[in-house]
Amino acid sequence: LGWPVAYDSKHLSLRLLRSLDFPIQRLIMIASGSHPSIEELIPKALALRPDLQIVRKVSNLGCAGGWNEVVNTVPDARWWVIGSNDIAFLPGALQRLAHVTEAALAREAAGK
């Protein structure tokens, strides 16, 4: 699961992190640009999730560029969940998403 963030004065990324109730193999935040709110956010995010990988980019990549950077960071992932800092997952949503995605991948592998 990954998301880009260039500005987060309300620290919405922390709400996103608190909403994760399912094991995440790779957790990635693309810190894009140099806004002071990102420098404040990073230690708080790492305190919540020490497994969070921070990928720093000097320039602001924009939303789509940040999404692409999530994929570029883990190009061999089986699949990705790419989000935004202003989302939060409802309880059980990630588990349902994983189940449905894995089932679809299994059907595809079986040629169905």
Side-chain angles (χ1 to χ4, degrees), residues 5-11 29 31-43 56-60:
V5 61
Y7 176 83
D8 196 353
S9 65
K10 295 182 181 179
H11 294 165
M29 183 175 80
S32 180
S34 59
H35 193 272
S37 65
I38 301 305
E39 297 308 313
E40 296 170 8
L41 171 66
I42 289 172
R56 292 179 178 262
K57 295 295 177 180
V58 176
S59 61
N60 184 340

PDB file of all heavy atoms in Angstrom, residues 5-11 29 31-43 56-60:
ATOM      1  N   VAL A   5       2.399  12.175  -0.943  1.00  0.00           N
ATOM      2  CA  VAL A   5       1.965  13.345  -0.179  1.00  0.00           C
ATOM      3  C   VAL A   5       2.991  14.453  -0.376  1.00  0.00           C
ATOM      4  O   VAL A   5       4.196  14.218  -0.299  1.00  0.00           O
ATOM      5  CB  VAL A   5       1.745  13.002   1.315  1.00  0.00           C
ATOM      6  CG1 VAL A   5       3.001  12.506   1.971  1.00  0.00           C
ATOM      7  CG2 VAL A   5       1.157  14.176   2.068  1.00  0.00           C
ATOM      8  N   ALA A   6       2.483  15.645  -0.698  1.00  0.00           N
ATOM      9  CA  ALA A   6       3.353  16.810  -0.881  1.00  0.00           C
ATOM     10  C   ALA A   6       3.037  17.887   0.151  1.00  0.00           C
ATOM     11  O   ALA A   6       3.855  18.761   0.407  1.00  0.00           O
ATOM     12  CB  ALA A   6       3.187  17.372  -2.290  1.00  0.00           C
ATOM     13  N   TYR A   7       1.855  17.807   0.732  1.00  0.00           N
ATOM     14  CA  TYR A   7       1.394  18.801   1.694  1.00  0.00           C
ATOM     15  C   TYR A   7       0.386  18.107   2.592  1.00  0.00           C
ATOM     16  O   TYR A   7      -0.570  17.509   2.102  1.00  0.00           O
ATOM     17  CB  TYR A   7       0.737  19.966   0.941  1.00  0.00           C
ATOM     18  CG  TYR A   7       0.133  21.014   1.832  1.00  0.00           C
ATOM     19  CD1 TYR A   7       0.919  22.015   2.377  1.00  0.00           C
ATOM     20  CD2 TYR A   7      -1.222  21.001   2.122  1.00  0.00           C
ATOM     21  CE1 TYR A   7       0.368  22.985   3.194  1.00  0.00           C
ATOM     22  CE2 TYR A   7      -1.789  21.963   2.935  1.00  0.00           C
ATOM     23  CZ  TYR A   7      -0.987  22.957   3.463  1.00  0.00           C
ATOM     24  OH  TYR A   7      -1.538  23.914   4.280  1.00  0.00           O
ATOM     25  N   ASP A   8       0.591  18.166   3.903  1.00  0.00           N
ATOM     26  CA  ASP A   8      -0.318  17.463   4.814  1.00  0.00           C
ATOM     27  C   ASP A   8      -0.357  18.187   6.158  1.00  0.00           C
ATOM     28  O   ASP A   8      -0.005  17.623   7.185  1.00  0.00           O
ATOM     29  CB  ASP A   8       0.126  16.010   4.970  1.00  0.00           C
ATOM     30  CG  ASP A   8      -0.958  15.128   5.579  1.00  0.00           C
ATOM     31  OD1 ASP A   8      -2.008  15.651   5.996  1.00  0.00           O
ATOM     32  OD2 ASP A   8      -0.745  13.908   5.635  1.00  0.00           O
ATOM     33  N   SER A   9      -0.785  19.451   6.134  1.00  0.00           N
ATOM     34  CA  SER A   9      -0.783  20.240   7.371  1.00  0.00           C
ATOM     35  C   SER A   9      -1.757  19.696   8.408  1.00  0.00           C
ATOM     36  O   SER A   9      -1.574  19.910   9.600  1.00  0.00           O
ATOM     37  CB  SER A   9      -1.090  21.708   7.075  1.00  0.00           C
ATOM     38  OG  SER A   9      -2.395  21.842   6.570  1.00  0.00           O
ATOM     39  N   LYS A  10      -2.774  18.976   7.964  1.00  0.00           N
ATOM     40  CA  LYS A  10      -3.735  18.369   8.898  1.00  0.00           C
ATOM     41  C   LYS A  10      -3.319  16.957   9.300  1.00  0.00           C
ATOM     42  O   LYS A  10      -4.007  16.310  10.072  1.00  0.00           O
ATOM     43  CB  LYS A  10      -5.129  18.349   8.276  1.00  0.00           C
ATOM     44  CG  LYS A  10      -5.684  19.734   8.042  1.00  0.00           C
ATOM     45  CD  LYS A  10      -7.068  19.673   7.469  1.00  0.00           C
ATOM     46  CE  LYS A  10      -7.592  21.073   7.227  1.00  0.00           C
ATOM     47  NZ  LYS A  10      -8.937  21.067   6.654  1.00  0.00           N
ATOM     48  N   HIS A  11      -2.206  16.492   8.768  1.00  0.00           N
ATOM     49  CA  HIS A  11      -1.675  15.153   9.046  1.00  0.00           C
ATOM     50  C   HIS A  11      -2.716  14.061   8.794  1.00  0.00           C
ATOM     51  O   HIS A  11      -2.866  13.132   9.587  1.00  0.00           O
ATOM     52  CB  HIS A  11      -1.107  15.082  10.457  1.00  0.00           C
ATOM     53  CG  HIS A  11       0.092  15.957  10.638  1.00  0.00           C
ATOM     54  ND1 HIS A  11       0.591  16.286  11.852  1.00  0.00           N
ATOM     55  CD2 HIS A  11       0.900  16.581   9.744  1.00  0.00           C
ATOM     56  CE1 HIS A  11       1.644  17.079  11.720  1.00  0.00           C
ATOM     57  NE2 HIS A  11       1.842  17.268  10.438  1.00  0.00           N
ATOM     58  N   MET A  29       5.212   5.618   1.772  1.00  0.00           N
ATOM     59  CA  MET A  29       4.766   6.997   1.625  1.00  0.00           C
ATOM     60  C   MET A  29       5.776   7.729   0.759  1.00  0.00           C
ATOM     61  O   MET A  29       6.964   7.761   1.082  1.00  0.00           O
ATOM     62  CB  MET A  29       4.632   7.705   2.974  1.00  0.00           C
ATOM     63  CG  MET A  29       4.096   9.122   2.851  1.00  0.00           C
ATOM     64  SD  MET A  29       3.794   9.916   4.451  1.00  0.00           S
ATOM     65  CE  MET A  29       5.440  10.432   4.892  1.00  0.00           C
ATOM     66  N   ALA A  31       7.140  10.987  -0.104  1.00  0.00           N
ATOM     67  CA  ALA A  31       7.219  12.358   0.407  1.00  0.00           C
ATOM     68  C   ALA A  31       7.783  13.225  -0.714  1.00  0.00           C
ATOM     69  O   ALA A  31       8.970  13.217  -0.985  1.00  0.00           O
ATOM     70  CB  ALA A  31       8.102  12.402   1.649  1.00  0.00           C
ATOM     71  N   SER A  32       6.895  13.944  -1.356  1.00  0.00           N
ATOM     72  CA  SER A  32       7.205  14.648  -2.589  1.00  0.00           C
ATOM     73  C   SER A  32       7.306  16.149  -2.330  1.00  0.00           C
ATOM     74  O   SER A  32       6.359  16.754  -1.846  1.00  0.00           O
ATOM     75  CB  SER A  32       6.079  14.331  -3.587  1.00  0.00           C
ATOM     76  OG  SER A  32       6.264  14.940  -4.805  1.00  0.00           O
ATOM     77  N   GLY A  33       8.443  16.732  -2.614  1.00  0.00           N
ATOM     78  CA  GLY A  33       8.637  18.153  -2.381  1.00  0.00           C
ATOM     79  C   GLY A  33       9.226  18.415  -1.012  1.00  0.00           C
ATOM     80  O   GLY A  33       9.732  17.511  -0.343  1.00  0.00           O
ATOM     81  N   SER A  34       9.147  19.657  -0.573  1.00  0.00           N
ATOM     82  CA  SER A  34       9.817  20.028   0.682  1.00  0.00           C
ATOM     83  C   SER A  34       8.948  20.903   1.580  1.00  0.00           C
ATOM     84  O   SER A  34       9.465  21.739   2.315  1.00  0.00           O
ATOM     85  CB  SER A  34      11.123  20.754   0.359  1.00  0.00           C
ATOM     86  OG  SER A  34      10.852  21.915  -0.423  1.00  0.00           O
ATOM     87  N   HIS A  35       7.659  20.714   1.557  1.00  0.00           N
ATOM     88  CA  HIS A  35       6.783  21.510   2.417  1.00  0.00           C
ATOM     89  C   HIS A  35       7.052  21.167   3.883  1.00  0.00           C
ATOM     90  O   HIS A  35       7.223  19.985   4.226  1.00  0.00           O
ATOM     91  CB  HIS A  35       5.311  21.263   2.069  1.00  0.00           C
ATOM     92  CG  HIS A  35       4.418  22.258   2.700  1.00  0.00           C
ATOM     93  ND1 HIS A  35       3.908  22.093   3.960  1.00  0.00           N
ATOM     94  CD2 HIS A  35       3.967  23.456   2.253  1.00  0.00           C
ATOM     95  CE1 HIS A  35       3.169  23.133   4.272  1.00  0.00           C
ATOM     96  NE2 HIS A  35       3.183  23.980   3.250  1.00  0.00           N
ATOM     97  N   PRO A  36       7.101  22.164   4.756  1.00  0.00           N
ATOM     98  CA  PRO A  36       7.373  21.897   6.183  1.00  0.00           C
ATOM     99  C   PRO A  36       6.414  20.900   6.827  1.00  0.00           C
ATOM    100  O   PRO A  36       6.791  20.184   7.752  1.00  0.00           O
ATOM    101  CB  PRO A  36       7.244  23.274   6.839  1.00  0.00           C
ATOM    102  CG  PRO A  36       7.487  24.253   5.742  1.00  0.00           C
ATOM    103  CD  PRO A  36       6.984  23.594   4.475  1.00  0.00           C
ATOM    104  N   SER A  37       5.175  20.822   6.350  1.00  0.00           N
ATOM    105  CA  SER A  37       4.224  19.883   6.955  1.00  0.00           C
ATOM    106  C   SER A  37       4.687  18.436   6.777  1.00  0.00           C
ATOM    107  O   SER A  37       4.397  17.582   7.625  1.00  0.00           O
ATOM    108  CB  SER A  37       2.821  20.061   6.361  1.00  0.00           C
ATOM    109  OG  SER A  37       2.790  19.720   4.981  1.00  0.00           O
ATOM    110  N   ILE A  38       5.420  18.153   5.712  1.00  0.00           N
ATOM    111  CA  ILE A  38       5.915  16.792   5.485  1.00  0.00           C
ATOM    112  C   ILE A  38       7.006  16.457   6.496  1.00  0.00           C
ATOM    113  O   ILE A  38       7.052  15.342   7.031  1.00  0.00           O
ATOM    114  CB  ILE A  38       6.432  16.636   4.037  1.00  0.00           C
ATOM    115  CG1 ILE A  38       5.314  16.932   3.037  1.00  0.00           C
ATOM    116  CG2 ILE A  38       7.011  15.253   3.805  1.00  0.00           C
ATOM    117  CD1 ILE A  38       4.064  16.117   3.228  1.00  0.00           C
ATOM    118  N   GLU A  39       7.865  17.423   6.768  1.00  0.00           N
ATOM    119  CA  GLU A  39       8.931  17.199   7.761  1.00  0.00           C
ATOM    120  C   GLU A  39       8.345  16.961   9.146  1.00  0.00           C
ATOM    121  O   GLU A  39       8.891  16.185   9.928  1.00  0.00           O
ATOM    122  CB  GLU A  39       9.903  18.378   7.771  1.00  0.00           C
ATOM    123  CG  GLU A  39      10.638  18.564   6.455  1.00  0.00           C
ATOM    124  CD  GLU A  39      11.313  17.290   5.957  1.00  0.00           C
ATOM    125  OE1 GLU A  39      11.989  16.599   6.743  1.00  0.00           O
ATOM    126  OE2 GLU A  39      11.145  16.979   4.760  1.00  0.00           O
ATOM    127  N   GLU A  40       7.226  17.590   9.460  1.00  0.00           N
ATOM    128  CA  GLU A  40       6.538  17.359  10.740  1.00  0.00           C
ATOM    129  C   GLU A  40       5.838  16.011  10.744  1.00  0.00           C
ATOM    130  O   GLU A  40       5.746  15.349  11.775  1.00  0.00           O
ATOM    131  CB  GLU A  40       5.506  18.462  10.987  1.00  0.00           C
ATOM    132  CG  GLU A  40       6.080  19.843  11.141  1.00  0.00           C
ATOM    133  CD  GLU A  40       4.996  20.915  11.133  1.00  0.00           C
ATOM    134  OE1 GLU A  40       3.788  20.583  11.156  1.00  0.00           O
ATOM    135  OE2 GLU A  40       5.365  22.099  11.089  1.00  0.00           O
ATOM    136  N   LEU A  41       5.323  15.613   9.603  1.00  0.00           N
ATOM    137  CA  LEU A  41       4.546  14.377   9.483  1.00  0.00           C
ATOM    138  C   LEU A  41       5.403  13.126   9.606  1.00  0.00           C
ATOM    139  O   LEU A  41       4.999  12.157  10.270  1.00  0.00           O
ATOM    140  CB  LEU A  41       3.820  14.368   8.128  1.00  0.00           C
ATOM    141  CG  LEU A  41       3.134  13.070   7.725  1.00  0.00           C
ATOM    142  CD1 LEU A  41       1.980  12.754   8.662  1.00  0.00           C
ATOM    143  CD2 LEU A  41       2.665  13.167   6.275  1.00  0.00           C
ATOM    144  N   ILE A  42       6.554  13.114   8.996  1.00  0.00           N
ATOM    145  CA  ILE A  42       7.358  11.890   8.884  1.00  0.00           C
ATOM    146  C   ILE A  42       7.651  11.237  10.238  1.00  0.00           C
ATOM    147  O   ILE A  42       7.386  10.041  10.405  1.00  0.00           O
ATOM    148  CB  ILE A  42       8.634  12.136   8.058  1.00  0.00           C
ATOM    149  CG1 ILE A  42       8.240  12.325   6.581  1.00  0.00           C
ATOM    150  CG2 ILE A  42       9.634  11.006   8.209  1.00  0.00           C
ATOM    151  CD1 ILE A  42       9.375  12.759   5.674  1.00  0.00           C
ATOM    152  N   PRO A  43       8.164  11.955  11.236  1.00  0.00           N
ATOM    153  CA  PRO A  43       8.424  11.258  12.511  1.00  0.00           C
ATOM    154  C   PRO A  43       7.169  10.738  13.191  1.00  0.00           C
ATOM    155  O   PRO A  43       7.186   9.672  13.814  1.00  0.00           O
ATOM    156  CB  PRO A  43       9.142  12.304  13.372  1.00  0.00           C
ATOM    157  CG  PRO A  43       8.991  13.601  12.681  1.00  0.00           C
ATOM    158  CD  PRO A  43       8.625  13.333  11.262  1.00  0.00           C
ATOM    159  N   ARG A  56      11.707   9.762  -0.368  1.00  0.00           N
ATOM    160  CA  ARG A  56      11.759  11.223  -0.509  1.00  0.00           C
ATOM    161  C   ARG A  56      12.081  11.608  -1.948  1.00  0.00           C
ATOM    162  O   ARG A  56      12.983  11.044  -2.553  1.00  0.00           O
ATOM    163  CB  ARG A  56      12.800  11.815   0.422  1.00  0.00           C
ATOM    164  CG  ARG A  56      12.431  11.697   1.880  1.00  0.00           C
ATOM    165  CD  ARG A  56      13.550  12.300   2.733  1.00  0.00           C
ATOM    166  NE  ARG A  56      13.236  12.258   4.126  1.00  0.00           N
ATOM    167  CZ  ARG A  56      12.735  13.284   4.813  1.00  0.00           C
ATOM    168  NH1 ARG A  56      12.501  14.421   4.218  1.00  0.00           N
ATOM    169  NH2 ARG A  56      12.482  13.166   6.093  1.00  0.00           N
ATOM    170  N   LYS A  57      11.336  12.575  -2.431  1.00  0.00           N
ATOM    171  CA  LYS A  57      11.566  13.149  -3.747  1.00  0.00           C
ATOM    172  C   LYS A  57      11.688  14.655  -3.572  1.00  0.00           C
ATOM    173  O   LYS A  57      10.838  15.283  -2.942  1.00  0.00           O
ATOM    174  CB  LYS A  57      10.413  12.813  -4.715  1.00  0.00           C
ATOM    175  CG  LYS A  57      10.294  11.330  -5.008  1.00  0.00           C
ATOM    176  CD  LYS A  57      11.526  10.863  -5.745  1.00  0.00           C
ATOM    177  CE  LYS A  57      11.518   9.392  -6.010  1.00  0.00           C
ATOM    178  NZ  LYS A  57      12.707   8.943  -6.714  1.00  0.00           N
ATOM    179  N   VAL A  58      12.751  15.229  -4.121  1.00  0.00           N
ATOM    180  CA  VAL A  58      13.031  16.653  -3.943  1.00  0.00           C
ATOM    181  C   VAL A  58      11.930  17.510  -4.557  1.00  0.00           C
ATOM    182  O   VAL A  58      11.466  18.461  -3.943  1.00  0.00           O
ATOM    183  CB  VAL A  58      14.408  17.019  -4.543  1.00  0.00           C
ATOM    184  CG1 VAL A  58      14.664  18.510  -4.453  1.00  0.00           C
ATOM    185  CG2 VAL A  58      15.505  16.241  -3.838  1.00  0.00           C
ATOM    186  N   SER A  59      11.503  17.155  -5.746  1.00  0.00           N
ATOM    187  CA  SER A  59      10.471  17.961  -6.400  1.00  0.00           C
ATOM    188  C   SER A  59       9.098  17.329  -6.174  1.00  0.00           C
ATOM    189  O   SER A  59       8.977  16.134  -5.916  1.00  0.00           O
ATOM    190  CB  SER A  59      10.755  18.081  -7.898  1.00  0.00           C
ATOM    191  OG  SER A  59      10.745  16.810  -8.501  1.00  0.00           O
ATOM    192  N   ASN A  60       8.073  18.154  -6.278  1.00  0.00           N
ATOM    193  CA  ASN A  60       6.707  17.692  -6.134  1.00  0.00           C
ATOM    194  C   ASN A  60       6.330  16.933  -7.403  1.00  0.00           C
ATOM    195  O   ASN A  60       6.253  17.519  -8.477  1.00  0.00           O
ATOM    196  CB  ASN A  60       5.777  18.884  -5.898  1.00  0.00           C
ATOM    197  CG  ASN A  60       4.357  18.467  -5.638  1.00  0.00           C
ATOM    198  OD1 ASN A  60       3.940  17.363  -5.976  1.00  0.00           O
ATOM    199  ND2 ASN A  60       3.585  19.345  -5.042  1.00  0.00           N
TER     200      ASN A  60
END
